[in-house]
Amino acid sequence: MKFDDDQNTSVLELKWCSKASCEQRKGRTGRVSNGYYFQLITKKLYKEFNDHQEPEILRASLETPILKLKLYDQNEEPEKIILKTMNPPTQDTIIKAILRLQRMGALVDVIFGDKKEFIYIGESNQKKKRIIYNSGKITKIGIIFADLPIDIKYSRLIILSY
């Protein structure tokens, strides 16, 4: 699964696994009973595999992690924590997730262009925009969204249908 930021939906991508995944599968055989592991691919193709899979934080939607971080500390800016991860997503991706959460009613008082903190949006090799913002406070509906183990859009649908 990979989150498509432009379409605001998760997309199932068909792609080869990584070398690390193959090694993990190989390690599973023989634990409980005798067994064999077969890779039905050529050595040439295996050498072309990536060593590791793309990190989950770069593939998944950021709405739920942002809400969970807001649950822990209402005043903390979750993007500061997310940007400290080993492979952080772009700030543009984080800000788009915050705006989606605001549109869904999970965050209020999201401010762009006011007095808070300078954030640079864009890839490191592109021209960057300077934006001042505050990611806001979590609402009661946002707390419910954070607890439900499904996508935010479906959480909102369930709550509104109730």
Side-chain angles (χ1 to χ4, degrees):
M1 293 294 287
K2 182 167 177 108
F3 185 74
D4 187 348
D5 208 25
D6 297 328
Q7 295 180 357
N8 188 23
T9 187
S10 293
V11 180
L12 188 60
E13 275 189 340
L14 183 61
K15 58 194 292 187
W16 292 104
C17 63
S18 65
K19 290 179 183 175
S21 258
C22 290
E23 291 300 314
Q24 182 185 19
R25 287 183 178 94
K26 187 185 343 179
R28 287 189 189 131
T29 58
R31 285 192 194 152
V32 178
S33 63
N34 292 337
Y36 297 97
Y37 171 74
F38 295 98
Q39 288 185 30
L40 301 176
I41 55 172
T42 62
K43 286 183 182 180
K44 181 181 175 188
L45 180 61
Y46 180 77
K47 288 179 183 177
E48 293 175 9
F49 284 1
N50 292 330
D51 289 335
H52 299 280
Q53 190 173 357
E54 185 181 30
E56 180 77 16
I57 196 163
L58 298 177
R59 291 183 287 129
S61 168
L62 293 175
E63 281 103 353
T64 303
I66 287 172
L67 286 177
K68 292 207 182 270
L69 287 169
K70 279 290 188 184
L71 278 177
Y72 295 128
D73 187 357
Q74 185 74 249
N75 297 318
E76 183 64 45
E77 300 294 333
E79 52 281 5
K80 290 180 185 175
I81 296 169
I82 292 172
L83 289 171
K84 290 180 182 177
T85 60
M86 289 177 66
N87 298 309
T90 63
Q91 290 175 327
D92 192 31
T93 304
I94 297 169
I95 289 175
K96 283 180 183 179
I98 290 170
L99 288 173
R100 280 193 299 271
L101 287 169
Q102 181 186 24
R103 280 194 304 269
M104 295 294 238
L107 293 177
V108 292
D109 300 332
V110 176
I111 301 169
F112 285 85
D114 220 29
K115 302 174 196 147
K116 180 65 179 163
E117 182 175 332
F118 291 105
I119 293 293
Y120 296 92
I121 301 176
E123 300 296 325
S124 57
N125 57 356
Q126 295 176 347
K127 187 177 179 184
K128 296 179 179 183
K129 294 186 273 181
R130 195 164 90 169
I131 290 186
I132 306 169
Y133 79 104
N134 175 6
S135 66
K137 303 233 179 272
I138 193 167
T139 62
K140 290 182 181 182
I141 200 168
I143 293 169
I144 296 169
F145 288 168
D147 286 338
L148 292 174
I150 55 176
D151 190 68
I152 301 300
K153 294 183 302 259
Y154 305 123
S155 299
R156 183 170 170 84
L157 180 68
I158 290 169
I159 291 168
L160 290 177
S161 65
Y162 175 75

